[in-house]
Amino acid sequence: QHYYITNNLRMDYTGSSYKGDIKNDKMEGEGEYAFPSGTKYIGSFKDGTFEGKGTLHFKNGSTFSAVWKNGIPQEDTESGGKYKFKDGLEFSEADWNYCDGYDRRFYTETLKGLKPAGRSQKVDIEPAPPIPKGWYDCGDGVYNPDKRIVYSYSEKKFIRNADVDEHKWIVTTCRRGSDFFVGKQYVPPTP
């Protein structure tokens, strides 16, 4: 006879935590496993691993849902694993036409339409977050190229260190907080 009990576990060694069913001193049944990175798995467990239907909830708001077996998402199931961005866009490897060489619109523009000329959308987040002078907007935060650190947009909290490849990609590709004005400037009429 097996008993399922609901428990809260803190794993000091890994920095993770678990809330959910336990069987034979292992995570088994339904539960929530929180990683130290802020990512959470909510779903089924068996023998201490992800098993059955479950979803990873990433700190940036995106999700990955799949049917899991021994902690591995199964590609041969009907779900096949679905990655959904925080804005609702669902990734599809077979039918992916978002932001390819032919259509460079943001997903919010495909849903809500393009802005009038002169008010182009520079980023998928509206309004665009401010970028400190000399820093870059790398999509999940702002990048300080001198320190090679990515910080959160609002609180300027540490997200990660950039390696050599990411640094090169950011400074050659991403929007920069400018120390000079680009474009037409509004001059109010003099009285």
Side-chain angles (χ1 to χ4, degrees):
Q1 190 175 36
H2 298 286
Y3 295 98
Y4 286 94
I5 58 172
T6 300
N7 218 342
N8 293 330
L9 298 176
R10 213 178 89 213
M11 294 138 199
D12 292 327
Y13 184 72
T14 63
S16 302
S17 64
Y18 174 76
K19 293 181 208 168
D21 298 333
I22 295 183
K23 177 182 171 189
N24 297 330
D25 295 325
K26 295 181 181 178
M27 300 177 290
E28 187 149 334
E30 296 299 311
E32 178 180 311
Y33 185 92
F35 294 89
S37 64
T39 298
K40 289 182 181 177
Y41 170 83
I42 300 173
S44 298
F45 292 83
K46 183 177 181 186
D47 201 25
T49 62
F50 304 166
E51 183 82 21
K53 290 184 179 181
T55 302
L56 285 168
H57 298 264
F58 299 100
K59 195 173 177 181
N60 67 4
S62 59
T63 60
F64 179 75
S65 299
V67 174
W68 303 78
K69 186 171 175 81
N70 295 322
I72 300 170
Q74 300 302 293
E75 294 181 22
D76 59 343
T77 62
E78 66 180 48
S79 78
K82 293 189 188 310
Y83 183 85
K84 189 181 283 189
F85 295 89
K86 68 179 177 182
D87 60 8
L89 175 65
E90 202 169 281
F91 177 73
S92 169
E93 194 169 337
D95 191 26
W96 184 252
N97 58 9
Y98 169 71
C99 214
D100 60 11
Y102 304 103
D103 186 355
R104 300 296 297 170
R105 294 178 296 167
F106 290 105
Y107 183 59
T108 52
E109 291 176 308
T110 63
L111 294 175
K112 300 176 184 173
L114 295 172
K115 295 191 179 290
R119 291 179 42 209
S120 297
Q121 188 168 334
K122 296 177 186 170
V123 295
D124 202 30
I125 303 167
E126 285 289 306
I131 306 170
K133 180 179 171 181
W135 291 26
Y136 295 84
D137 178 356
C138 60
D140 62 344
V142 289
Y143 177 66
N144 179 335
D146 297 328
K147 294 183 178 180
R148 294 189 178 211
I149 296 175
V150 177
Y151 297 94
S152 65
Y153 286 115
S154 55
E155 303 90 28
K156 303 293 183 276
K157 290 183 180 176
F158 174 86
I159 295 179
R160 70 179 174 281
N161 291 312
D163 63 18
V164 174
D165 292 334
E166 185 178 24
H167 170 80
K168 184 178 177 184
W169 181 84
I170 290 171
V171 298
T172 58
T173 310
C174 296
R175 186 171 69 101
R176 181 173 186 249
S178 185
D179 50 353
F180 57 92
F181 183 80
V182 179
K184 188 173 182 177
Q185 198 167 9
Y186 173 74
V187 179
T190 54

